[in-house]
Amino acid sequence: MKKCLLFYVPLMMLFVIRGLAQTVVTGTVTDSNGETLPGVSVMIKGTTVGTTTDVEGHYSVNAPDNASTLVFSFIGMQSQEIVISDRKQIDVVLSEDAASLKEVVVIGYGSQSRSTITTSIAKLDAKVLEHSAMSNPGAALQGTISGLRVVNTTGQPGSVPNILLRGGASINNPGSPLVVVDGVVRTLSDVNPSDIESLQVLKDAASTAIYGARANNGVILITTKRGKAGVSNVTYTMKSGLNEQREAYDYLNARDFIYYNRMGINNTNLSRAPGGVAFVNPEVQAGYGTTASPNMYDIAKITNANRANFTSLISNGWQWMIDPISQKDTLIFKDYSGQISDAAFNQNPNTQDHNLSFTGGNDKSTFAATLNSYNEDGLVIGTKYQRFSGSLNGSYKIRNNLEVLAGTTYSESKAPSFLPGDIFFRTQAMQPTFKPFDESGNPSSGSSMSYGNPAYYQEKYIRKNSTRRSISNIGANWEIVPDLFLRAKANIYYTDYYAENFDKKIVYQTGNVDVSRASSANYSKSVQQQHNLTADYKKSINQHNFSFLLGGEYFDLSSSNLSATGKAAPTDDIYTLNAAVERTAINSGFVQNRMMSGFSRLAYDYNRKYLLSAVIRYDGVSSLTDHRWGAFPGVSLGWNVHEEDFFKSSSISRFITLLKPRMSYGVNGNIAGVGEYEVQGAYGIQTFYDAQAGYLNTGLINNGLRWEKSKSFDGGIELGLINNRVLLNLAYFRRTTTDLLTNLTLPGYTGFNSVRTNLG
């Protein structure tokens, strides 16, 4: 759970405290039809003093003598500011907010009015991003958009949650939605939430078909902030948050742990017949046995040898109890319940998010620049996430009909993490008699990393990593003739990652010593090119509104990596790979993936009542051969019933102000899981007789692999009640995926374990 505080820092603050006389102002708030409006916010401008209207639209507010203006605001209505003057009765009529009814929604390669959308598209409320400190926008999607499952699978700060839309489209490779930021395919991990202007999720195939083969699992569209003509702003925001560890299970304390375990073993032994299964010796059991690793657990029987120390031990926090097995022996023990957890976890780790932005422009040019610093300490000691990012984008009108655009984004993140496996379970479930610290106060190593004090291993395992990402883009918009635009955009997305690990000498409480001092280093980089050219045309003829888009795109992603491992460094003082005496492995790799696409979309509506949209995309990929090209169409229909004259004249229109049934059908493709060179053949190095090495075909080639295809039907109805104060979106969808890519097991005599097929 994360609690966040948002601070706005003005340049000057002035506080004045004095007594003021007050005047009671009352009135009634109605809409343009004369209906009273309950729940309207009535505030004195510039203060936090105010009230809300009751069920009959009445309000009463105490206004200080120096109060000049009342502000009336309500969802879906235009806000009004009314000067008080000397009036004690102010009645107000609020009008519908036309801007909210004409909300623009970002769709693939363009935008469209919300009122004419016929597909399933959800938009994230921007306030979710504005008032929370988070490393990436993935966290903001949790619980905010229907049909989207967002699960954090790791406690590592900065990690992107697992996102699955409508259960996933493939049983073998369900995958996350495609993320597109300002037209660039990216990951959510490097997106600064403060830069986001809008975030949409395309759900059905009719809306995602414009992205073709990569959109089988849905699309997350993100648009970042841009400068606006005539407006210049300098904004600084600081968000701070505290993480809270969720409440753990209530485990037994040491006394109960010893009692019930020893009693259980005793009862088990008593129930076994002579000559049956061998009895269990309770004294060798970890945590409640009196002879099991005495240097790891504080539990013993009182004997003549230690009886003299009994009083001293009790005064130092030890406890005693009668042995439930013998009833004549006395056990002495120490309770360390909760100390392992306290050593492993931070208490209320802090998050700091600082964002500084500059925006502005005039009739010729606009610009927007952002600097961001984000720091988050993890719940687990030794885990944290740090990121610095900056962005700059701008536009310039060379001529009235020709505009050029350019931008760049850079981010560098570090996530040095020590996160032992099962740490959340192990720290809670360790026996309460386990000694978390030795006599000198140093953390105890236990018998392994998963069975000891994590604080010991945090200092022994050195983990460093850094990820840098940069994007450069340039584009142009050319209005060839009125309403006909030619748009071009090219971008390069560069990522490099570096990690270095070193394990120091480890001395276990069992007496074992690990001096292997394993070390490793890994460097990888990827370069992504994405270039597209689109032409779109819009025309209205006698209330017939047309929009046509035609475009093409080239996508190229090449990745390379180099890694090495070593061991047997002579000392812990130099914890880098070059200190390793033995080089144990070295590996490198290079892959490239290319895609070429053509796409088109037609949108039509008549007088904003009858709606039609049709899209198609044709993709070709380098990772297939015989069936590398695929077509992915989508079509959708909608009807704005609330725009019909017969509906407007009916009494039901007073309560239902939006009624839009819609339906769609589309096809998406998917080849996730198919390697870049799988259809060309997989090869490996094999050592033959006389230690001679050679290349061996290790994978069976199937040139006939083709796309998985998901055919989706989506039907829904959008309802707006009481001037759209309540919005309902009901949807039904059915998706059938065929030609599933799966591995078919082969008999051993073939020489191969399996072959990839479309037989799923």
Side-chain angles (χ1 to χ4, degrees):
M1 181 186 298
K2 179 175 286 187
K3 295 182 178 179
C4 298
L5 304 174
L6 177 62
F7 300 94
Y8 293 93
V9 183
L11 297 179
M12 183 180 295
M13 296 182 178
L14 180 63
F15 299 91
V16 179
I17 303 175
R18 60 181 179 180
L20 295 173
Q22 295 183 337
T23 300
V24 178
V25 180
T26 61
T28 304
V29 181
T30 60
D31 61 16
S32 56
N33 296 322
E35 299 290 331
T36 57
L37 293 175
V40 176
S41 173
V42 184
M43 304 293 296
I44 298 173
K45 187 175 181 179
T47 73
T48 58
V49 179
T51 185
T52 57
T53 57
D54 59 22
V55 293
E56 296 181 348
H58 301 317
Y59 73 91
S60 177
V61 61
N62 294 322
D65 282 350
N66 66 337
S68 61
T69 306
L70 287 180
V71 180
F72 298 81
S73 59
F74 193 65
I75 297 175
M77 313 294 282
Q78 291 183 349
S79 297
Q80 281 198 42
E81 296 186 4
I82 306 295
V83 177
I84 298 175
S85 186
D86 295 328
R87 293 181 292 175
K88 297 182 179 180
Q89 174 78 24
I90 299 177
D91 296 328
V92 177
V93 178
L94 295 182
S95 302
E96 290 184 355
D97 188 352
S100 66
L101 298 177
K102 297 179 180 178
E103 177 187 9
V104 173
V105 176
V106 177
I107 57 177
Y109 304 96
S111 60
Q112 192 173 346
S113 170
R114 167 67 76 178
S115 63
T116 60
I117 290 289
T118 54
T119 54
S120 183
I121 299 178
K123 186 174 183 178
L124 179 70
D125 187 347
K127 293 182 180 179
V128 177
L129 299 170
E130 291 174 359
H131 300 98
S132 298
M134 61 188 72
S135 61
N136 61 74
L141 296 172
Q142 194 165 32
T144 57
I145 292 179
S146 62
L148 202 65
R149 190 191 73 180
V150 182
V151 179
N152 290 303
T153 57
T154 173
Q156 172 63 41
S159 60
V160 177
N162 180 277
I163 302 175
L164 194 64
L165 178 64
R166 291 182 169 180
S170 173
I171 192 172
N172 298 310
N173 301 287
S176 297
L178 178 73
V179 177
V180 181
V181 183
D182 293 333
V184 181
V185 175
R186 288 172 60 179
T187 172
L188 285 175
S189 60
D190 66 339
V191 178
N192 174 17
S194 298
D195 280 345
I196 295 177
E197 181 75 28
S198 68
L199 187 153
Q200 278 81 206
V201 178
L202 313 186
K203 298 181 179 181
D204 62 340
S207 60
T208 61
I210 194 71
Y211 288 102
R214 293 171 296 182
N216 203 36
N217 297 295
V219 180
I220 296 175
L221 286 181
I222 295 176
T223 302
T224 59
K225 296 175 181 177
R226 293 288 187 266
K228 295 178 175 60
V231 179
S232 296
N233 287 306
V234 178
T235 305
Y236 167 75
T237 60
M238 189 275 280
K239 304 172 188 175
S240 180
L242 295 176
N243 287 325
E244 287 186 354
Q245 184 182 355
R246 68 180 184 182
E247 186 175 350
Y249 295 112
D250 190 12
Y251 287 89
L252 297 178
N253 58 24
R255 181 179 298 276
D256 290 339
F257 174 79
I258 295 169
Y259 176 85
Y260 287 109
N261 276 286
R262 292 180 68 86
M263 179 65 76
I265 285 184
N266 185 58
N267 291 340
T268 300
N269 289 339
L270 292 175
S271 67
R272 289 173 174 167
V277 180
F279 285 14
V280 178
N281 182 2
E283 306 308 335
V284 299
Q285 305 303 311
Y288 57 90
T290 58
T291 62
S293 301
N295 63 325
M296 290 178 59
Y297 306 98
D298 275 341
I299 178 173
K301 285 185 178 181
I302 294 296
T303 63
N304 291 331
N306 62 21
R307 194 178 302 276
N309 297 325
F310 179 81
T311 302
S312 175
L313 291 172
I314 295 299
S315 64
N316 283 282
W318 287 66
Q319 303 176 44
W320 66 273
M321 64 183 292
I322 301 299
D323 188 353
I325 294 179
S326 67
Q327 298 295 320
K328 62 180 180 180
D329 291 328
T330 299
L331 300 178
I332 190 166
F333 61 93
K334 198 165 187 180
D335 191 347
Y336 296 103
S337 299
Q339 292 192 27
I340 287 287
S341 179
D342 292 341
F345 297 108
N346 286 311
Q347 300 300 315
N348 297 322
N350 184 258
T351 298
Q352 294 282 332
D353 185 4
H354 301 268
N355 199 78
L356 180 64
S357 65
F358 307 85
T359 61
N362 53 35
D363 59 343
K364 282 285 187 182
S365 62
T366 63
F367 73 91
T370 301
L371 292 175
N372 178 262
S373 174
Y374 182 90
N375 293 274
E376 179 180 352
D377 292 324
L379 283 171
V380 179
I381 291 177
T383 62
K384 63 173 60 177
Y385 178 74
Q386 300 170 298
R387 184 190 65 222
F388 172 80
S389 63
S391 65
L392 174 65
N393 63 73
S395 66
Y396 182 77
K397 286 187 176 181
I398 299 176
R399 301 173 58 182
N400 290 335
N401 65 337
L402 180 60
E403 181 183 38
V404 294
L405 309 97
T408 184
T409 300
Y410 173 83
S411 70
E412 182 173 2
S413 60
K414 298 178 180 180
S417 61
F418 167 72
L419 197 63
D422 298 331
I423 186 170
F424 292 97
F425 162 73
R426 285 293 181 186
T427 54
Q428 301 295 331
M430 287 289 290
Q431 292 91 338
T433 55
F434 174 80
K435 294 189 286 189
F437 302 93
D438 61 20
E439 287 73 11
S440 301
N442 300 313
S444 300
S445 59
S447 60
S448 68
M449 183 170 64
S450 61
Y451 201 85
N453 189 339
Y456 175 86
Y457 294 94
Q458 177 190 345
E459 189 271 334
K460 298 297 182 181
Y461 289 91
I462 307 300
R463 300 292 183 262
K464 297 180 179 180
N465 62 64
S466 175
T467 303
R468 294 180 297 180
R469 296 182 173 95
S470 62
I471 300 175
S472 299
N473 62 78
I474 188 170
N477 298 329
W478 178 25
E479 188 175 14
I480 303 173
V481 296
D483 300 321
L484 175 60
F485 286 87
L486 184 66
R487 308 180 194 274
K489 188 172 184 180
N491 65 74
I492 296 179
Y493 183 18
Y494 178 86
T495 302
D496 67 33
Y497 170 79
Y498 176 75
E500 191 160 15
N501 300 327
F502 185 86
D503 300 345
K504 294 183 178 180
K505 176 182 176 181
I506 298 174
V507 180
Y508 299 103
Q509 284 179 273
T510 56
N512 297 328
V513 180
D514 183 356
V515 291
S516 62
R517 293 191 173 98
S519 57
S520 64
N522 176 55
Y523 176 77
S524 61
K525 69 175 183 178
S526 65
V527 180
Q528 173 185 301
Q529 298 182 57
Q530 193 175 340
H531 313 290
N532 59 63
L533 180 67
T534 61
D536 63 87
Y537 180 69
K538 296 181 181 180
K539 190 66 175 178
S540 296
I541 304 173
N542 297 328
Q543 298 184 334
H544 294 275
N545 305 304
F546 299 89
S547 175
F548 182 73
L549 172 75
L550 181 65
E553 185 171 77
Y554 172 76
F555 180 89
D556 184 312
L557 175 62
S558 59
S559 304
S560 61
N561 72 282
L562 177 65
S563 62
T565 61
K567 64 178 183 179
T571 177
D572 287 342
D573 296 333
I574 304 175
Y575 36 81
T576 57
L577 177 63
N578 65 319
V581 175
E582 298 180 31
R583 303 293 195 267
T584 55
I586 184 167
N587 295 285
S588 66
F590 175 81
V591 295
Q592 187 171 22
N593 183 278
R594 294 177 177 178
M595 176 183 290
M596 292 191 67
S597 310
F599 50 87
S600 180
R601 176 175 57 227
L602 171 66
Y604 165 79
D605 72 80
Y606 173 70
N607 198 23
R608 306 292 178 181
K609 297 179 183 178
Y610 315 113
L611 316 171
L612 168 68
S613 179
V615 301
I616 188 168
R617 181 165 176 135
Y618 196 55
D619 281 334
V621 292
S622 60
S623 52
L624 297 179
T625 54
D626 294 353
H627 304 282
R628 64 175 35 161
W629 291 95
F632 308 102
V635 63
S636 57
L637 302 169
W639 180 22
N640 280 325
V641 181
H642 57 278
E643 295 289 351
E644 298 285 2
D645 292 336
F646 70 83
F647 187 87
K648 292 180 179 179
S649 61
S650 66
S651 58
I652 197 174
S653 64
R654 296 176 57 188
F655 307 100
I656 300 178
T657 47
L658 170 63
L659 177 58
K660 182 169 70 175
R662 55 174 176 79
M663 66 176 61
S664 67
Y665 177 82
V667 179
N668 283 132
N670 181 38
I671 53 170
V674 177
E676 285 80 359
Y677 307 111
E678 188 168 333
V679 295
Q680 284 83 13
Y683 301 88
I685 297 177
Q686 178 72 38
T687 302
F688 299 98
Y689 298 108
D690 297 327
Q692 297 298 312
Y695 291 105
L696 177 70
N697 180 208
T698 58
L700 193 60
I701 300 172
N702 181 4
N703 291 330
L705 285 180
R706 57 187 180 274
W707 308 88
E708 289 183 352
K709 288 190 176 181
S710 294
K711 301 175 182 179
S712 301
F713 170 81
D714 188 286
I717 185 169
E718 297 178 21
L719 284 172
L721 308 178
I722 316 174
N723 289 324
N724 295 334
R725 296 169 209 160
V726 179
L727 295 173
L728 300 176
N729 195 333
L730 309 176
Y732 166 84
F733 74 93
R734 180 181 178 87
R735 177 168 51 211
T736 303
T737 304
T738 57
D739 293 336
L740 282 168
L741 291 162
T742 186
N743 288 322
L744 179 66
T745 302
L746 296 176
Y749 60 76
T750 64
F752 300 97
N753 295 324
S754 63
V755 61
R756 181 93 66 176
T757 72
N758 289 101
L759 299 179

